[in-house]
Amino acid sequence: MTELVGLDDVRAARELLAGVTRTTPLEPSRPLSAALGGPTWLKCENVQRAGSYKVRGAYVRISRLSAAERERGVVAASAGNHAQGVALAAGLVGTHATVFMPVNAPLPKVAATKGYGAQVELAGNTVDESLVAAHTYAERTGAVLIHPFDHRDVIAGQGTVALEILEQCPDVKTIITGVGGGGLISGMAVAAKALRPEVRIIGVQAAGAAAFPPSLVAGEPVRLPTFSTIADGIAVGRPGEITFNHVRKLVDEVVTVSEEDISRALLMLLERGKQVVEPAGAVGVAALLAGVVEVETPAVAVLSGGNIDPLLMMRVIEHGLAAAGRYLRVTVRCSDRPGQLASLLSQIAEHRANVVDVEHQRANPHLGLGEVEVALSVETRGVEHSDTLISALRASGYQVVFAAEA
């Protein structure tokens, strides 16, 4: 077993990062505090340089390269956050970075990586496939591979997040954060367990890309045959060898959340917390809101990144509204005669629901002669309001042939 990173390694990393990264704020969260019955805080790494915690580990790793290694340049693979962290760190250190990103990587992340001075190559459909391309490039050119999570320097750099949390919230009892390959939670667990062994460290993965639970059961890293999630920043198919050892020994629990849970968390953070967070950065909050894990307060949830594609944000907000019962798509079958649509819309208005869009469908072969289907998108105040509206429409004689949260 590889020797674990130690507290001295994390402290040394913090010295390297002085003047490079910022001490991110710890913000109170009233919704989470109310839900958990005790003080709950948000560690806002979404406002870190380059938009995530990743620059911490990337800078520590790159700053320790020899002059000869810097001359050869560095190469990395990432869906976006590690890419930006490496690009920024390479520029600060004075070396050239080449970054391999999945072909479907969010365009803002690609543009930001290029903006920090890196050369971007698109390869593969996942970070794992991009990492293969990065390894090949490193072997061919001599560039130094900066692994996104499975390196001691990277783990030590990420662990500085926990040092800040323990200073900002000395009485913290639970720290919860998202997990992809395991670099962040490994480093945080090293620091937290060394200074406060009683603090519980909880990891959260998206259910559609959860490689750690089966790996922990098997006692070794296990590769998922397939994986998919909106949380692209933690869409990793296999834990690292080094990070797996840290998680197995130091992390108290790893849980999973659904895409709906993530959407609800993003919506709550935007509405109530005024925080722009990407899906991967919100999974810790998602776990707390969904109640998939019991935590003791004071608790801190790490918002690990804020680099979200605006187009994805639009879709996620709509999905989050639907998951919360506040956005309803309903199809109503009624007679196709003058005044019928006005009557239908009036009834919806009487129940204080807001119609977003309306579409008529007359060509459906299942419709009877003189019938029409009206598809509506409606904003409501929640599940109970949606149920009341649907019941009222049916009571008025409308045939609701499809009614579901989008």
Side-chain angles (χ1 to χ4, degrees), residues 52-92:
S52 83
Y53 70 93
K54 285 287 190 178
V55 67
R56 296 174 183 262
Y59 184 84
V60 172
R61 174 77 171 98
I62 295 172
S63 68
R64 288 175 171 167
L65 297 178
S66 67
E69 289 172 324
R70 295 183 189 184
E71 183 67 24
R72 298 200 303 268
V74 299
V75 61
S78 168
N81 287 347
H82 181 60
Q84 293 173 68
V86 167
L88 173 58
L92 293 172

Coordinates of all heavy atoms in Angstrom, one line a residue, residues 52-92:
S52 N -12.5 26.8 -9.1 CA -12.6 25.5 -8.3 C -11.4 25.3 -7.5 O -10.3 26.0 -7.6 CB -12.8 24.3 -9.2 OG -11.6 23.8 -9.7
Y53 N -11.4 24.3 -6.6 CA -10.3 24.0 -5.7 C -9.1 23.4 -6.5 O -8.0 23.3 -6.0 CB -10.7 23.0 -4.7 CG -11.0 21.6 -5.3 CD1 -10.0 20.6 -5.3 CD2 -12.2 21.3 -5.9 CE1 -10.2 19.4 -5.9 CE2 -12.5 20.1 -6.4 CZ -11.5 19.1 -6.5 OH -11.7 17.9 -7.1
K54 N -9.3 23.0 -7.7 CA -8.3 22.3 -8.5 C -7.0 23.0 -8.6 O -5.9 22.3 -8.7 CB -8.9 22.0 -9.9 CG -9.9 20.9 -9.9 CD -9.3 19.5 -9.7 CE -10.3 18.4 -10.0 NZ -9.6 17.1 -9.9
V55 N -7.0 24.3 -8.6 CA -5.7 25.0 -8.8 C -4.8 24.8 -7.6 O -3.5 24.8 -7.7 CB -6.0 26.6 -9.0 CG1 -6.5 27.2 -7.7 CG2 -4.7 27.3 -9.4
R56 N -5.3 24.4 -6.5 CA -4.5 24.1 -5.3 C -3.5 23.0 -5.6 O -2.3 23.1 -5.4 CB -5.4 23.8 -4.1 CG -6.3 25.0 -3.6 CD -7.2 24.5 -2.5 NE -8.1 25.5 -2.0 CZ -8.0 26.2 -0.9 NH1 -6.9 26.1 -0.2 NH2 -8.9 27.1 -0.6
G57 N -4.1 21.8 -5.9 CA -3.3 20.7 -6.2 C -2.4 20.8 -7.4 O -1.2 20.4 -7.4
A58 N -3.0 21.5 -8.5 CA -2.2 21.6 -9.7 C -1.0 22.5 -9.5 O 0.1 22.2 -10.0 CB -3.1 22.2 -10.8
Y59 N -1.1 23.6 -8.7 CA 0.0 24.5 -8.5 C 1.1 23.8 -7.6 O 2.3 23.9 -7.9 CB -0.4 25.7 -7.8 CG 0.7 26.7 -7.6 CD1 1.1 27.6 -8.7 CD2 1.5 26.8 -6.5 CE1 2.2 28.4 -8.6 CE2 2.6 27.6 -6.3 CZ 2.9 28.4 -7.4 OH 4.0 29.3 -7.3
V60 N 0.7 23.1 -6.6 CA 1.7 22.4 -5.8 C 2.5 21.4 -6.6 O 3.7 21.3 -6.5 CB 1.0 21.6 -4.6 CG1 2.0 20.8 -3.8 CG2 0.4 22.7 -3.6
R61 N 1.8 20.6 -7.4 CA 2.5 19.6 -8.3 C 3.4 20.3 -9.3 O 4.6 19.9 -9.4 CB 1.4 18.8 -9.0 CG 1.9 17.8 -10.1 CD 2.5 16.6 -9.4 NE 2.8 15.6 -10.4 CZ 4.0 15.4 -10.9 NH1 5.1 16.1 -10.4 NH2 4.3 14.4 -11.8
I62 N 3.0 21.3 -10.0 CA 3.8 21.9 -11.0 C 4.9 22.7 -10.4 O 6.0 22.7 -11.0 CB 2.9 22.8 -11.9 CG1 1.9 21.8 -12.7 CG2 3.7 23.5 -13.0 CD1 0.8 22.6 -13.5
S63 N 4.7 23.4 -9.3 CA 5.7 24.2 -8.7 C 6.9 23.4 -8.2 O 8.0 23.9 -8.1 CB 5.2 25.0 -7.6 OG 4.8 24.2 -6.5
R64 N 6.7 22.1 -8.0 CA 7.8 21.3 -7.5 C 8.6 20.6 -8.7 O 9.5 19.8 -8.4 CB 7.2 20.2 -6.6 CG 6.8 20.8 -5.2 CD 6.2 19.9 -4.3 NE 6.0 20.4 -3.0 CZ 5.2 19.9 -2.0 NH1 4.6 18.8 -2.2 NH2 5.1 20.5 -0.8
L65 N 8.2 20.8 -9.9 CA 8.9 20.3 -11.0 C 10.3 20.9 -11.1 O 10.6 22.0 -10.8 CB 8.2 20.5 -12.3 CG 6.8 19.9 -12.5 CD1 6.2 20.2 -13.8 CD2 6.9 18.4 -12.3
S66 N 11.3 20.1 -11.6 CA 12.6 20.6 -11.8 C 12.6 21.5 -13.1 O 11.7 21.6 -13.9 CB 13.6 19.4 -12.1 OG 13.3 18.8 -13.3
A67 N 13.7 22.2 -13.2 CA 13.9 23.1 -14.4 C 13.8 22.4 -15.7 O 13.2 22.8 -16.7 CB 15.2 23.9 -14.3
A68 N 14.4 21.1 -15.7 CA 14.3 20.3 -16.9 C 12.9 19.9 -17.2 O 12.5 19.8 -18.4 CB 15.2 19.1 -16.7
E69 N 12.2 19.5 -16.2 CA 10.8 19.1 -16.4 C 9.9 20.2 -16.9 O 9.1 20.1 -17.7 CB 10.2 18.5 -15.1 CG 10.8 17.1 -14.7 CD 10.4 16.7 -13.3 OE1 10.3 17.5 -12.4 OE2 10.2 15.5 -13.2
R70 N 10.1 21.4 -16.3 CA 9.4 22.6 -16.8 C 9.6 22.9 -18.2 O 8.8 23.3 -19.0 CB 9.7 23.8 -15.9 CG 9.2 23.6 -14.4 CD 9.5 24.9 -13.6 NE 9.3 24.7 -12.2 CZ 9.4 25.6 -11.3 NH1 9.8 26.9 -11.7 NH2 9.2 25.4 -10.0
E71 N 10.9 22.7 -18.6 CA 11.2 22.9 -20.0 C 10.5 22.0 -20.9 O 10.1 22.4 -22.1 CB 12.7 22.7 -20.2 CG 13.3 23.0 -21.6 CD 13.2 24.4 -21.9 OE1 13.2 25.3 -21.0 OE2 13.1 24.7 -23.2
R72 N 10.2 20.8 -20.5 CA 9.4 19.8 -21.4 C 7.9 20.1 -21.4 O 7.2 19.6 -22.2 CB 9.7 18.4 -20.9 CG 11.1 18.0 -21.0 CD 11.3 16.4 -20.9 NE 10.6 15.8 -19.8 CZ 11.3 15.6 -18.6 NH1 12.6 15.9 -18.5 NH2 10.7 15.0 -17.6
G73 N 7.5 20.9 -20.4 CA 6.1 21.2 -20.4 C 5.3 20.2 -19.6 O 5.8 19.1 -19.2
V74 N 4.0 20.5 -19.4 CA 3.1 19.6 -18.7 C 1.9 19.2 -19.5 O 1.5 19.9 -20.5 CB 2.6 20.2 -17.3 CG1 3.8 20.5 -16.4 CG2 1.8 21.4 -17.6
V75 N 1.3 18.1 -19.2 CA 0.1 17.6 -19.9 C -0.9 17.1 -18.9 O -0.5 16.6 -17.8 CB 0.4 16.5 -21.0 CG1 1.0 15.3 -20.3 CG2 -0.8 16.1 -21.8
A76 N -2.2 17.3 -19.2 CA -3.2 16.9 -18.2 C -4.5 16.5 -19.0 O -4.6 16.7 -20.2 CB -3.6 18.1 -17.3
A77 N -5.4 15.8 -18.3 CA -6.7 15.5 -18.8 C -7.7 15.9 -17.9 O -7.6 15.7 -16.7 CB -6.7 13.9 -19.1
S78 N -8.8 16.5 -18.4 CA -9.8 17.0 -17.5 C -11.1 17.3 -18.3 O -11.0 17.6 -19.5 CB -9.3 18.3 -16.8 OG -10.3 19.0 -16.2
A79 N -12.2 17.3 -17.6 CA -13.5 17.8 -18.2 C -13.6 19.3 -18.1 O -14.5 19.9 -18.6 CB -14.7 17.2 -17.4
G80 N -12.7 19.9 -17.3 CA -12.8 21.4 -17.2 C -12.1 22.1 -16.1 O -11.3 23.0 -16.2
N81 N -12.3 21.6 -14.8 CA -11.8 22.3 -13.7 C -10.3 22.0 -13.5 O -9.5 23.0 -13.2 CB -12.6 21.9 -12.4 CG -14.0 22.5 -12.4 OD1 -14.3 23.4 -13.1 ND2 -14.8 22.0 -11.5
H82 N -9.9 20.8 -13.6 CA -8.5 20.5 -13.5 C -7.7 21.1 -14.7 O -6.6 21.6 -14.5 CB -8.3 19.0 -13.5 CG -6.8 18.5 -13.4 ND1 -6.0 18.9 -12.3 CD2 -6.0 17.8 -14.2 CE1 -4.8 18.4 -12.5 NE2 -4.8 17.7 -13.6
A83 N -8.4 21.2 -15.8 CA -7.8 21.8 -17.0 C -7.5 23.3 -16.7 O -6.4 23.7 -17.0 CB -8.8 21.7 -18.2
Q84 N -8.4 24.0 -16.1 CA -8.2 25.4 -15.8 C -7.2 25.6 -14.7 O -6.3 26.5 -14.8 CB -9.5 26.0 -15.5 CG -10.5 26.1 -16.6 CD -11.9 26.6 -16.2 OE1 -12.0 27.8 -15.8 NE2 -12.9 25.7 -16.2
G85 N -7.2 24.7 -13.7 CA -6.2 24.8 -12.7 C -4.8 24.5 -13.2 O -3.9 25.3 -12.8
V86 N -4.6 23.6 -14.0 CA -3.3 23.3 -14.6 C -2.9 24.4 -15.5 O -1.7 24.8 -15.5 CB -3.3 21.9 -15.4 CG1 -2.1 21.8 -16.3 CG2 -3.5 20.8 -14.4
A87 N -3.8 24.9 -16.3 CA -3.4 26.0 -17.2 C -3.0 27.2 -16.4 O -2.0 27.9 -16.8 CB -4.6 26.4 -18.1
L88 N -3.7 27.6 -15.4 CA -3.4 28.7 -14.6 C -2.0 28.5 -13.9 O -1.1 29.4 -13.9 CB -4.5 29.0 -13.6 CG -4.2 30.1 -12.5 CD1 -3.9 31.4 -13.1 CD2 -5.4 30.2 -11.5
A89 N -1.9 27.3 -13.2 CA -0.7 27.0 -12.5 C 0.5 27.0 -13.4 O 1.6 27.5 -13.0 CB -0.8 25.7 -11.8
A90 N 0.4 26.4 -14.6 CA 1.5 26.4 -15.5 C 2.0 27.8 -15.9 O 3.2 28.0 -16.0 CB 1.1 25.6 -16.8
G91 N 1.0 28.7 -16.1 CA 1.3 30.0 -16.5 C 2.1 30.7 -15.3 O 3.0 31.5 -15.6
L92 N 1.6 30.5 -14.1 CA 2.3 31.1 -13.0 C 3.7 30.6 -12.7 O 4.6 31.3 -12.4 CB 1.4 30.8 -11.7 CG 0.1 31.5 -11.6 CD1 -0.7 31.0 -10.4 CD2 0.2 33.0 -11.6

